[in-house]
Amino acid sequence: MSDRIIETEYSECMKQSYIDYSMSVITARALPDVRDGLKPVQRRTLYAMYELGLRHDRPHRKCARIVGDTMGKYHPHGDASVYDALVVMAQDFKRNEPLAEPHGNFGSIEGDDSAAMRYTEARLQKLTEEVYLADLDKNVVDFVPNFDETEQEPTVLPVRIPNLLVNGAEGIAVGMATSIPSHNLAETIDGMIALIDHPELTSEELLQYIPGPDFATGGIVINQKDLPRIYAAGTGKIKLRGRVEFEPAKGRGGKDKLVVTEIPYTMVGEGIHRFLADVGSLAETRKLPEVTDIANESSKEGIRIVLELKKGSDVERIKNILYKKTKLEDTFGVNMLAIVDGRPETLSLKGILQHSLDFQVEINTRKYHNLLEKEQQRREIQEGLIRAVDLIDLIIEIIRGSKTQQQARACLMGQPSQVTFRTARSEKQAKKLCFTERQAQAILDLRLSKLIGLEILALEKEHEETVKNIARYEKILGSDRAMKNAIRKDLENIKREFGKPRKTVIADAQEAAEVKEEIQEQDVVFAMDRFGYVKVCDVAAYEKSGQAMEHEYRYLFVCKNTDRILLFTDQGLMHQVKVTDIPFQKWKDKGVPVDNLSRYDSKKETILYVTSRGKMAGKRLLFVTCQGYVKQTESGEFDTANRTVRSTKLTEGDRLVYVEQAAQGGQMVLQTETGYFLKFPAEEAELYKKTAVGVKGITLSAGDHVKHVYQLGADDDSAAVLYEGRELDLRRMKLASRGQKGTKPRKGKGV
């Protein structure tokens, strides 16, 4: 048993196993091959459809059958991965050139899932059949055994266009990812033909023919100036915008409309619902008060998202806000990574076209070698039959004098020893015969009807055509220029039949800038109730019924509409919200949760103090933690544009229990959970930065913590608190120093 144990270093074993796994994911799942631009699952699915005979002019077949054949014969993985690949290859809003023709519910551009595979059907597109799979029977690519060695599958499909550019690619491997935008088929072919004619062209020069990406959803690329760098390096960011059109009001009761007719490719799926929600939020928070309604009127005919506007709205300003605040303007990250000779490589535009051209030369060389060989065999047979017509009487005598087909074949090849002839002259003539084995078999298989005069003329005409084909194939194989001319002609035919106009506009546009209207500064009332709902109200209404409202709100104060509201929480964070972001409402309105307007999370934090930046200017804040640390911090420390900052540093397990504006020249009292009180001068809570913990305000017993904090101003006559059912006057409490343990009030005593 010990002889079968292999000792190895565990770390080395894990390292090698992970490398093997990574390379398997990279080459066998996630990344496309530069030659056909397909991932293994896509290639195998298309080949399975080809084997099933699902041509473009034949009936559709259930997707469950396609998925089953793909899994059972070529792709031993989950059915979901195969069906998802088939669905994406059939969706015209994700692929410039869909490779499968769908029948049934294959999902929608708005993110709806496709129906189950047992309900949907598919077949090959004409483009796929003629451009991706047409030459598989001509031995142009290598075939290898499948996973269980019961079938043969192609290592790559003989795709005759740069599919990696035409349909793009997306995939996440281990430690790397690919993201290649789609391009226009006709333009890509133009770029490839230009490279055939001028091999010295650079990626930047090729942009004359392929000006940029062409997405299935259209849209506008707005950073044309960056494209030369992106296509030369193979990486970068393309900025996309949706197309927005203005429709003026029609009729007396009509309204002006902004209509989104094309979306960025990155918005396909859930992005449309998110866009609608974002626009609704902008309208609700008064950043887009001009938008009165939004409706999604998209259909099979195309995208149509309608925003109704108030009369006289600034359309350009609204567009800029939509570009700046929603996904109507987005970036597409480009990383042109593909498998080249079995290894991942980041490619430039020229690199992809050059590899595709090299692949075309390879498959065309094999194709014409195969065709030449077949034509040479056909010529051999044709020449034999033409000669046989002149010797038909002798051949008939040979056949009649032979006992077996083998004897007749041998005689036709010049070995008549076993054949019985009628005359010695015939035997002498038979010895002069020198047909090849292939010719001899063709003569024996010849039907007598082929000896009719017209049939003989057709045979001679067919022979002339065969000779011309052989000459053409030999010329193509013997000349690099002729080979490239053949490839060019092939590409031109594909462009003529399948080329389509460009959908995406390529331009340089100014970056969207939110044009902010000047806000006339005025006083407003900020209100927050005990549930965390906030709103901003009119000052005049507050002055009329303010006192009646004060008991309903936890925080209620007057501030400027240009101010910011600061929220201090027990987790040592400060969140801030612009007053303009808070909805202006009537007193009877509920308001909106402050969670929706800031990064405050009511499930994890508790608000301790709310103020405005204007009210806090020039003041100090007092911070006290449950572990007894105290400090004061200048309000200027919190003058920041960040929506959330750390207001103080906390030790592990600590939290804030008190944040308030510090009273000047007074005292402070700390009360613990177990009933200890410590009173000391407020100035002993020293001034620290917001990044400091502070100093120890009270010494706590094990398990005890600070529960309440009281500030006593210099002018306060009394400060009574309720303690154990009786009033406790903090003014009469003995003054001590910071850092002591404090005392417990005696029963029946006020101090």
Side-chain angles (χ1 to χ4, degrees):
M1 186 69 180
S2 60
D3 294 338
R4 298 175 61 186
I5 297 175
I6 300 173
E7 293 188 6
T8 183
E9 176 62 37
Y10 180 76
S11 60
E12 287 298 321
C13 181
M14 290 297 295
K15 177 181 177 182
Q16 188 58 46
S17 296
Y18 189 73
I19 290 173
D20 293 343
Y21 162 74
S22 302
M23 289 307 297
S24 171
V25 172
I26 290 167
T27 60
R29 282 201 219 173
L31 301 186
D33 192 297
V34 70
R35 295 171 293 176
D36 62 4
L38 298 170
K39 300 178 188 178
V41 65
Q42 297 169 327
R43 185 180 304 119
R44 289 165 173 170
T45 302
L46 293 177
Y47 183 63
M49 295 174 74
Y50 171 83
E51 286 288 282
L52 283 169
L54 303 183
R55 308 298 188 261
H56 74 280
D57 53 356
R58 296 184 185 177
H60 295 79
R61 189 75 66 86
K62 285 288 185 184
C63 290
R65 173 65 189 276
I66 299 170
V67 172
D69 268 38
T70 306
M71 287 174 57
K73 292 183 177 180
Y74 313 114
H75 198 69
H77 299 282
D79 60 345
S81 64
V82 180
Y83 186 49
D84 288 349
L86 175 59
V87 167
V88 170
M89 286 193 292
Q91 291 176 328
D92 58 3
F93 52 85
K94 284 191 177 179
R95 291 288 175 265
N96 254 0
E97 302 295 341
L99 303 182
E101 184 181 326
H103 189 223
N105 177 12
F106 272 67
S108 73
I109 194 171
E110 297 181 33
D112 299 318
D113 291 333
S114 60
M117 68 180 80
R118 61 183 179 274
Y119 301 120
T120 56
E121 298 176 343
R123 65 184 177 189
L124 293 170
Q125 291 276 10
K126 185 179 181 182
L127 171 74
T128 316
E129 187 181 330
E130 297 185 4
V131 179
Y132 287 65
L133 299 161
D135 294 329
L136 270 176
D137 58 343
K138 296 182 177 65
N139 191 34
V140 294
V141 294
D142 294 330
F143 280 72
V144 295
N146 67 339
F147 61 92
D148 61 359
E149 300 187 355
T150 59
E151 301 280 345
Q152 294 283 314
E153 62 174 311
T155 56
V156 64
L157 293 186
V159 180
R160 293 150 60 195
I161 58 173
N163 182 56
L164 192 63
L165 287 175
V166 172
N167 272 329
E170 293 149 8
I172 300 174
V174 178
M176 59 184 68
T178 186
S179 180
I180 304 173
S182 56
H183 296 77
N184 184 268
L185 173 63
E187 293 174 355
T188 305
I189 289 176
D190 287 341
M192 197 159 175
I193 292 174
L195 191 62
I196 291 173
D197 296 335
H198 306 285
E200 72 284 354
L201 287 176
T202 64
S203 292
E204 184 173 351
E205 291 168 336
L206 283 167
L207 290 178
Q208 300 173 45
Y209 308 94
I210 309 174
D214 185 25
F215 294 99
T217 56
I220 305 168
V221 171
I222 62 169
N223 61 330
Q224 185 178 18
K225 64 181 183 300
D226 297 330
L227 296 184
R229 176 183 53 79
I230 292 171
Y231 280 106
T235 59
K237 291 184 178 180
I238 293 173
K239 292 184 179 180
L240 294 171
R241 276 185 189 170
R243 187 181 295 278
V244 184
E245 298 175 357
F246 175 68
E247 292 183 1
K250 295 179 182 179
R252 192 167 186 179
K255 290 188 176 182
D256 292 342
K257 297 177 181 178
L258 269 184
V259 183
V260 179
T261 57
E262 294 177 6
I263 59 173
Y265 180 75
T266 52
M267 264 179 68
V268 170
E270 294 298 325
I272 294 178
H273 297 297
R274 183 177 174 184
F275 172 74
L276 296 172
D278 287 345
V279 174
S281 177
L282 289 171
E284 185 179 325
T285 56
R286 298 178 63 81
K287 289 182 179 177
L288 275 179
E290 301 92 340
V291 176
T292 59
D293 190 26
I294 180 169
N296 185 5
E297 300 177 3
S298 304
S299 64
K300 291 182 179 179
E301 282 68 42
I303 293 293
R304 182 176 171 84
I305 301 173
V306 180
L307 281 68
E308 288 189 356
L309 309 178
K310 292 179 180 178
K311 191 173 181 179
S313 298
D314 186 342
V315 174
E316 288 305 314
R317 173 182 172 273
I318 296 171
K319 283 184 181 180
N320 277 333
I321 292 176
L322 291 175
Y323 292 144
K324 196 76 175 175
K325 299 291 186 180
T326 73
K327 289 291 183 180
L328 196 60
E329 179 177 313
D330 205 359
T331 57
F332 182 96
V334 176
N335 187 23
M336 299 200 291
L337 186 71
I339 300 297
V340 180
D341 298 327
R343 300 181 63 182
E345 184 177 329
T346 301
L347 300 163
S348 63
L349 175 61
K350 181 178 181 180
I352 293 176
L353 290 175
Q354 187 62 58
H355 281 294
S356 182
L357 179 57
D358 293 344
F359 181 55
Q360 296 309 307
V361 172
E362 178 188 340
I363 62 176
N364 275 276
T365 299
R366 293 179 63 165
K367 171 185 173 181
Y368 287 114
H369 267 301
N370 181 275
L371 291 174
L372 177 61
E373 185 179 337
K374 288 184 177 179
E375 289 296 318
Q376 288 173 337
Q377 292 175 5
R378 189 176 290 113
R379 181 182 65 179
E380 180 184 343
I381 292 171
Q382 290 166 349
E383 289 175 348
L385 293 175
I386 291 171
R387 284 173 54 205
V389 169
D390 296 332
L391 300 169
I392 192 63
D393 293 332
L394 175 61
I395 291 171
I396 291 173
E397 186 176 341
I398 291 170
I399 293 172
R400 295 184 67 182
S402 302
K403 294 180 181 179
T404 65
Q405 193 175 111
Q406 287 79 6
Q407 290 178 359
R409 188 190 303 116
C411 184
L412 291 172
M413 294 170 66
Q415 302 171 8
S417 57
Q418 296 180 340
V419 178
T420 302
F421 293 93
R422 292 182 178 179
T423 64
R425 183 171 177 271
S426 296
E427 184 175 2
K428 186 178 179 180
Q429 287 179 326
K431 289 180 180 179
K432 295 179 181 180
L433 296 176
C434 57
F435 291 105
T436 65
E437 183 177 359
R438 189 176 285 112
Q439 289 172 335
Q441 186 62 48
I443 291 168
L444 293 175
D445 294 338
L446 182 68
R447 297 174 61 183
L448 290 177
S449 62
K450 292 292 183 181
L451 299 177
I452 299 171
L454 290 177
E455 290 291 337
I456 295 171
L457 290 175
L459 178 63
E460 290 175 347
K461 188 175 181 181
E462 185 181 333
H463 176 254
E464 290 176 6
E465 189 67 29
T466 300
V467 171
K468 289 180 183 178
N469 287 339
I470 289 173
R472 184 164 68 91
Y473 297 154
E474 287 178 339
K475 180 181 178 182
I476 290 172
L477 291 170
S479 165
D480 183 60
R481 179 180 292 275
M483 174 63 76
K484 290 185 176 178
N485 284 339
I487 294 172
R488 180 195 290 107
K489 186 177 180 181
D490 197 21
L491 290 170
E492 288 171 346
N493 290 336
I494 294 171
K495 176 185 174 182
R496 193 177 303 112
E497 183 169 1
F498 299 105
K500 298 174 185 174
R502 161 175 281 277
K503 298 176 182 176
T504 301
V505 174
I506 308 292
D508 271 323
Q510 290 184 346
E511 187 171 348
E514 184 180 354
V515 181
K516 297 182 180 179
E517 294 181 341
E518 281 194 26
I519 300 174
Q520 186 175 0
E521 188 175 84
Q522 62 181 19
D523 288 337
V524 293
V525 177
F526 169 81
M528 175 191 279
D529 65 18
R530 58 194 178 91
F531 299 108
Y533 282 78
V534 297
K535 60 187 175 185
V536 171
C537 303
D538 183 57
V539 174
Y542 169 67
E543 290 174 346
K544 288 181 181 178
S545 56
Q547 291 182 349
M549 294 294 180
E550 284 183 359
H551 71 279
E552 295 183 14
Y553 294 95
R554 184 179 173 189
Y555 294 99
L556 189 67
F557 53 80
V558 177
C559 62
K560 298 292 185 183
N561 59 342
T562 55
D563 210 343
R564 294 182 183 230
I565 302 300
L566 309 181
L567 314 169
F568 292 86
T569 74
D570 64 336
Q571 298 301 311
L573 298 176
M574 184 201 76
H575 306 283
Q576 59 177 334
V577 184
K578 293 179 181 178
V579 174
T580 51
D581 290 344
I582 303 172
F584 191 93
Q585 297 180 336
K586 297 178 181 178
W587 281 107
K588 63 180 179 180
D589 294 332
K590 186 176 182 180
V592 298
V594 72
D595 304 51
N596 296 355
L597 305 177
S598 68
R599 293 177 180 171
Y600 166 68
D601 187 348
S602 57
K603 295 180 180 179
K604 299 178 181 178
E605 305 173 76
T606 301
I607 293 176
L608 299 179
Y609 181 56
V610 177
T611 186
S612 68
R613 182 177 287 184
K615 288 172 65 70
M616 202 175 70
K619 307 291 176 57
R620 292 182 179 182
L621 287 183
L622 175 64
F623 292 85
V624 182
T625 75
C626 72
Q627 293 182 3
Y629 289 95
V630 299
K631 73 171 184 180
Q632 294 188 48
T633 301
E634 294 284 1
S635 62
E637 288 273 309
F638 305 103
D639 288 342
T640 175
N642 295 333
R643 294 178 64 191
T644 298
V645 294
R646 187 157 290 283
S647 62
T648 187
K649 184 177 180 181
L650 296 173
T651 58
E652 186 176 353
D654 203 359
R655 61 181 175 81
L656 284 172
V657 294
Y658 185 84
V659 182
E660 286 281 351
Q661 184 176 309
Q664 298 298 314
Q667 296 134 5
M668 59 185 298
V669 179
L670 305 183
Q671 178 186 349
T672 73
E673 180 69 31
T674 57
Y676 282 89
F677 287 79
L678 179 65
K679 177 181 173 184
F680 56 89
E683 59 265 20
E684 291 189 10
E686 299 172 19
L687 189 65
Y688 282 93
K689 298 283 188 182
K690 66 181 180 183
T691 53
V693 174
V695 293
K696 182 170 285 190
I698 186 171
T699 301
L700 299 171
S701 303
D704 201 5
H705 62 267
V706 175
K707 183 178 181 182
H708 295 296
V709 179
Y710 308 100
Q711 290 196 73
L712 308 179
D715 301 327
D716 290 345
D717 295 328
S718 65
V721 297
L722 197 63
Y723 174 71
E724 292 186 352
R726 56 196 174 91
E727 274 195 356
L728 185 65
D729 188 355
L730 300 180
R731 276 290 176 192
R732 298 177 59 194
M733 183 174 288
K734 182 179 178 181
L735 189 64
S737 298
R738 173 186 60 79
Q740 296 180 10
K741 188 173 182 180
T743 59
K744 277 189 175 184
R746 288 175 292 173
K747 287 187 179 182
K749 298 289 184 179
V751 293

